[in-house]
């Protein structure tokens, strides 16, 4: 596994750590449980990290020294790829011949490295985009920065050279084919999963008690990295709209913002708290630093609704995790969220990013307990369709296809 720009051991929700970190680690665990040894290569971000770390039997993380340990942003990393490739290749040279059978790269930076290892080791390359520059640039949030042309060229090269591409959804598969010219026969759809032992339903009262949330609170939750792409400002503006149209909600409405600044959000780290004050929401909004998966599960379970108004999501693990906890989701009708949320069943999909539309979608879930309970039950059922066990089985099937294709062209 190649995960160059962010380690699967990092806490999701801050910096560059997010759903991809969860994806790489959970998939690796499932593969290891099936007897497939996994070695994950990621860039070292501290001199105190060991060169190798065994996460659990069958999974080793290599911390590769490539550039300064600290101070590099994601857009600085392409200049450090040569050092990363050198150390990755060295591991194979120091091992027995044929040590690696297949490379699975994640995100375009890793894909660039993957194309080199594919040629050097003579093994198949499977790549998962997670996000794509052409899609992001078509759906930029206000104040966000367009992805560079170098990334687009890199992604096009990966699409051309990878033996198989894994898309999270049918929509992502369509984008790979239409925007990048991918061969449809080499693109497989494999949905990410959710750990349903961590994200569990039927415990709202328990979760609220542990977090100090009042029993009668109408709690709207945003969980994720604080950056324009994720649109947390839409949640605050929707809350302000709710209070404007229904002042009686003031005593009950609570908004939880769980996560840390990331990406272009690092340029104005106080922007969201400043907006809260500007909107007169300081008595309503609670900002929570990045939390563990177990604590995040409590926040999901405590919420009346989870709001995911992102401008783009390749899948949207937050939406599935929330539904697994029995919490309906109000989300933007973009990318993978249209798959992650069953519109009108397990949640509500909203066109665009008008805060008034999100307020309109949220209000029934906050004031109608029977509606929320009915949608909660259906949310759990919908989330049960997504499991890491199924994700692993389907990914292994893609690996087998990649082997056959690779051998046929030798």
């Amino acid at each position: 596994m190649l995960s160059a720009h962010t380690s699967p051991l990092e806490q999701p929700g801050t910096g560059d750590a997010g759903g991809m970190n969860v994806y790489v680690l959970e998939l690796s665990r499932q593969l290891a449980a099936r007897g497939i040894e996994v070695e994950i290569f990621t860039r070292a971000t501290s001199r105190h990290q060991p060169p190798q770390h065994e996460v659990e039997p069958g999974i080793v993380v290599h911390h590769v020294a490539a550039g300064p340990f600290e101070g590099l942003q994601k857009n600085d990393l392409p200049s450090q790829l040569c050092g990363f490739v050198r150390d990755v290749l060295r591991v194979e040279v120091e091992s027995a011949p044929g040590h690696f059978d297949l490379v699975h790269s994640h995100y375009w930076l890793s894909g660039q490295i993957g194309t080199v290892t594919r040629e050097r080791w003579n093994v198949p390359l499977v790549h998962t985009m997670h996000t794509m520059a052409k899609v992001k640039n078509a759906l930029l949030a206000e104040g966000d920065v367009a992805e560079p042309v170098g990334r687009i060229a890199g992604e096009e090269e990966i699409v051309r050279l990878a033996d198989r591409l894994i898309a999270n959804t049918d929509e992502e598969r369509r984008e790979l084919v239409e925007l990048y010219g991918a061969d449809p026969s080499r693109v497989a759809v494999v949905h990410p999963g959710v750990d349903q032992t961590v994200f569990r339903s039927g415990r709202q009262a328990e979760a609220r008690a542990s977090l100090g949330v009042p029993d009668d609170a109408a709690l709207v939750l945003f969980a994720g990295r604080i950056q324009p792409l994720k649109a947390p400002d839409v949640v605050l503006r929707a809350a302000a709209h709710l209070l404007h149209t229904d002042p009686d909600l003031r005593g009950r409405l609570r908004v939880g913002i769980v996560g840390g600044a990331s990406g272009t959000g690092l340029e104005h780290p106080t922007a969201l708290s400043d907006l809260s004050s500007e909107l007169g929401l300081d008595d309503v909004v609670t900002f929570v630093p990045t939390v563990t998966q177990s604590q995040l599960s409590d926040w999901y379970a405590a919420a009346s609704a989870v709001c995911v108004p992102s401008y783009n999501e390749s899948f949207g693990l937050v939406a599935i995790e929330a539904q697994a906890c029995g919490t309906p989701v109000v989300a933007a009708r973009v990318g993978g969220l249209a798959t992650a949320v069953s519109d009108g069943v397990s949640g509500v999909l909203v066109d665009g990013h008008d805060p008034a539309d999100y307020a309109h979608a949220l209000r029934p879930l906050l004031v109608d307990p029977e509606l929320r309970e009915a949608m909660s039950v259906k949310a759990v059922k919908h989330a049960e369709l997504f499991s890491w066990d199924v994700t692993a089985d389907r990914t292994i099937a893609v690996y087998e296809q990649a082997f056959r294709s690779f051998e046929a062209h030798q």
Side-chain angles (χ1 to χ4, degrees), residues 185-203:
S185 68
R186 293 193 294 115
V187 186
V189 176
V190 180
H191 298 318
V194 61
D195 186 343
Q196 298 185 20
T197 65
V198 174
F199 300 100
R200 298 174 289 107
S201 63
R203 50 194 191 88

Side-chain angles (χ1 to χ4, degrees), residues 118-386:
R118 178 187 186 274
E119 296 301 315
R120 174 64 180 82
W121 298 340
N122 197 37
V123 298
L125 171 64
V126 174
H127 181 75
T128 304
M129 285 287 193
H130 294 282
T131 63
M132 293 179 281
K134 292 182 180 181
V135 176
K136 290 183 73 173
N137 287 350
L139 299 165
L140 279 180
E142 182 178 349
D144 217 347
V145 179
E147 294 295 318
V149 294
R151 174 177 174 178
I152 294 173
E155 289 176 341
E156 290 175 337
E157 181 182 45
I158 295 161
V159 168
R160 179 172 60 85
L161 295 177
D163 296 279
R164 282 294 183 276
L165 298 164
I166 292 180
N168 287 330
T169 63
D170 291 327
E171 173 68 8
E172 186 179 352
R173 181 181 186 276
R174 182 190 65 78
E175 291 164 346
L176 279 164
V177 172
E178 294 183 2
L179 299 180
Y180 287 86
D183 179 350
S185 68
R186 293 193 294 115
V187 186
V189 176
V190 180
H191 298 318
V194 61
D195 186 343
Q196 298 185 20
T197 65
V198 174
F199 300 100
R200 298 174 289 107
S201 63
R203 50 194 191 88
Q204 186 181 78
E206 170 193 337
R208 288 190 168 194
S210 69
L211 295 171
V213 176
D215 290 341
D216 66 342
L219 174 60
V220 176
L221 180 70
F222 170 91
R225 288 171 286 164
I226 309 302
Q227 61 182 115
L229 173 70
K230 303 293 185 179
D233 63 296
V234 172
V235 181
L236 297 189
R237 297 182 192 280
H241 192 279
L242 279 166
L243 294 178
H244 177 74
T245 56
D246 188 356
D248 290 342
L249 264 178
R250 185 108 210 173
R252 295 178 53 237
L253 184 64
R254 299 288 184 274
V255 178
I257 305 291
V258 179
S262 172
T264 51
L266 291 168
E267 297 173 11
H268 305 285
T270 66
L272 206 59
S273 58
D274 293 345
L275 178 62
S276 174
S277 298
E278 178 187 322
L279 296 172
L281 295 174
D282 285 347
D283 61 322
V284 170
V285 179
T286 299
F287 290 95
V288 182
T290 305
V291 296
T292 66
Q293 293 282 282
S294 176
Q295 292 169 319
L296 180 59
S297 176
D298 285 344
W299 276 102
Y300 287 144
S304 307
V306 169
C307 192
V308 189
S310 305
Y311 282 84
N312 180 52
E313 290 284 353
S314 61
F315 186 67
L317 278 178
V318 164
I320 291 295
E321 290 169 351
Q323 290 169 95
C325 292
T327 304
V329 174
V330 173
R333 194 190 302 271
V334 297
L337 289 171
T339 298
V341 179
S342 181
D343 190 23
V345 178
S346 66
V348 181
L349 293 174
V350 178
D351 295 310
H353 296 83
D354 186 336
D357 293 335
Y358 284 85
H360 180 74
L362 285 165
R363 188 178 184 279
L365 294 169
L366 304 180
V367 302
D368 187 342
E370 292 183 0
L371 172 65
R372 187 202 176 279
E373 180 58 29
M375 196 165 276
S376 171
V377 172
K378 294 172 184 176
V380 175
K381 290 292 185 185
H382 182 65
E384 287 174 353
L385 300 174
F386 304 89

